[in-house]
Amino acid sequence: MARPPTLADRAQANGVKMTHQRRLICDALEASDDHPDVDALHVRARKNDPKLSLSSVYRTLRALETMDMISRHDFGDGRARFEIKDDRHHDHLIDTTTGRVIEFLDPKLEALKNEIAARLGYELQSHRLELYGQPRKRSSGANTAG
Amino acid sequence: MARPPTLADRAQANGVKMTHQRRLICDALEASDDHPDVDALHVRARKNDPKLSLSSVYRTLRALETMDMISRHDFGDGRARFEIKDDRHHDHLIDTTTGRVIEFLDPKLEALKNEIAARLGYELQSHRLELYGQPRKRSSGANTAG
DNA sequence: CTATTTGCAAATCATTTGCAAAAAT
DNA sequence: ATTTTTGCAAATGATTTGCAAATAG
């Protein structure tokens, strides 16, 4: 019956004192399939306990980020967005008509990034790639699903 | 003797009322070969007139950005960085040891970005690519020059 | 002249932090 | 019991804005 450990489980395993509110936040993030911002997470986690404070959301997210269990993004709208970090690196395409964030991974692109850095005399440490686009009309359907 | 028009010239041609302080700011940005933030620009422009206010720098930069004459970047440190927009699109590599920003353009990468967006069913409107790296030791010299 | 812009100070917005009360081990 | 965490409210830092005085065209 061993199910994959939840974010809360893994945080606890990493030495985090698992409080009620931290569990609420971890669970809310885990239940999200988008890239919620702090307020969205606060709202979602509050559904399970309305007295959760915004500060706790901020504090918990920062802690999780510091221990490298989640990643923080900035998609250009001034608020930070979060997602659970998994082993699979990916980049993001932001649908400018809906704000929906689509994850993708392109091996050619990954290779190219390193190649470019090397050509400039650098060793790549990290990068950020975001594509901003609108659905193609008469598309083959790749972006029409919910 | 026609020299290429300055940013101030072009802004004025675009209908901007060219005040003393706006000229200071345009000139300071034009004289910059890096990607200064608002405070840096304020300091630089103030060298030619110490009573220039920070608000004017903010207001002028926003105006220039709105008329698409400069671009605003966020390299992850919380402050906005600016550069004059020219016809040549480019991406950025940030030297994490010095903060220096290196511009580059890779045709393969440009093509790939569109290809990826298309594959996902999107028409690419804009994108953001930043590489963060450190100089390679024993490098061939690409990053050793000023 | 007359509308626009400036400088200043107060306002915003997202995020952080100090501190006393509350909870975890 | 002792240390850590919470919630609140006040502090922060970047940026914006209201308003009276100054200025461009």
Side-chain angles (χ1 to χ4, degrees):
Chain A
M1 287 278 93
R3 218 152 335 192
T6 63
L7 176 59
D9 291 341
R10 286 179 284 128
Q12 191 163 34
N14 272 253
V16 172
K17 192 177 287 192
M18 192 46 59
T19 63
H20 171 57
Q21 20 283 82
R22 283 174 182 166
R23 192 178 308 281
L24 290 170
I25 297 159
C26 286
D27 290 353
L29 183 53
E30 192 136 56
S32 304
D33 60 344
D34 51 353
H35 297 65
D37 61 28
V38 176
D39 282 304
L41 269 176
H42 188 212
V43 169
R44 293 176 198 181
R46 256 172 188 284
K47 290 203 178 117
N48 293 310
D49 181 349
K51 52 192 184 320
L52 173 67
S53 76
L54 188 57
S55 321
S56 288
V57 181
Y58 273 107
R59 279 192 275 234
T60 299
L61 289 172
R62 181 156 293 289
L64 292 172
E65 186 196 5
T66 299
M67 55 179 40
D68 212 48
M69 305 193 65
I70 65 177
S71 31
R72 171 191 301 262
H73 298 291
D74 162 22
F75 293 146
D77 54 4
R79 47 219 145 105
R81 315 280 230 88
F82 299 86
E83 71 180 319
I84 296 179
K85 208 168 195 171
D86 58 25
D87 34 327
R88 285 175 299 288
H89 159 73
H90 57 256
D91 294 305
H92 297 99
L93 183 149
I94 294 90
D95 183 328
T96 58
T97 67
T98 65
R100 184 161 79 107
V101 177
I102 295 161
E103 304 180 348
F104 69 86
L105 174 66
D106 185 286
K108 263 186 287 187
L109 188 53
E110 296 307 307
L112 199 46
K113 286 183 290 203
N114 281 289
E115 192 183 310
I116 292 168
R119 182 192 314 149
L120 295 170
Y122 281 80
E123 187 179 320
L124 192 61
Q125 294 175 309
S126 66
H127 67 272
R128 167 153 76 172
L129 172 60
E130 289 144 29
L131 304 182
Y132 294 83
Q134 59 191 174
R136 280 185 306 182
K137 37 253 154 212
R138 327 203 91 279
S139 89
S140 43
N143 58 67
T144 56
Chain B
M1 287 283 93
R3 221 152 334 197
T6 63
L7 177 58
D9 291 340
R10 286 179 284 128
Q12 191 164 34
N14 270 254
V16 172
K17 192 178 286 194
M18 190 48 58
T19 64
H20 171 56
Q21 19 285 79
R22 282 175 180 165
R23 191 179 307 280
L24 289 171
I25 297 160
C26 287
D27 290 354
L29 183 54
E30 192 136 57
S32 303
D33 59 344
D34 51 353
H35 297 66
D37 61 28
V38 176
D39 282 305
L41 269 176
H42 188 213
V43 168
R44 293 175 199 182
R46 257 172 187 284
K47 288 198 180 126
N48 292 311
D49 181 349
K51 51 193 185 320
L52 173 67
S53 77
L54 188 56
S55 322
S56 288
V57 181
Y58 273 108
R59 280 192 273 232
T60 299
L61 289 171
R62 181 156 293 290
L64 293 172
E65 186 195 7
T66 299
M67 56 178 41
D68 212 50
M69 305 193 65
I70 66 175
S71 31
R72 172 190 302 260
H73 299 291
D74 163 21
F75 294 145
D77 53 4
R79 45 216 148 107
R81 314 280 230 90
F82 299 86
E83 71 180 318
I84 296 179
K85 207 167 194 172
D86 58 27
D87 34 325
R88 287 175 297 288
H89 158 72
H90 57 256
D91 294 307
H92 297 99
L93 183 150
I94 295 91
D95 182 328
T96 58
T97 67
T98 65
R100 184 161 79 105
V101 178
I102 295 161
E103 304 179 348
F104 68 86
L105 174 66
D106 184 288
K108 263 187 288 189
L109 188 53
E110 296 307 308
L112 199 45
K113 286 184 289 202
N114 281 289
E115 191 182 312
I116 292 169
R119 184 192 313 150
L120 295 169
Y122 281 80
E123 186 178 320
L124 192 60
Q125 294 174 309
S126 66
H127 67 271
R128 167 151 78 172
L129 171 60
E130 288 145 29
L131 304 181
Y132 294 82
Q134 59 189 173
R136 281 185 305 181
K137 37 254 152 207
R138 327 203 91 280
S139 89
S140 43
N143 58 65
T144 55

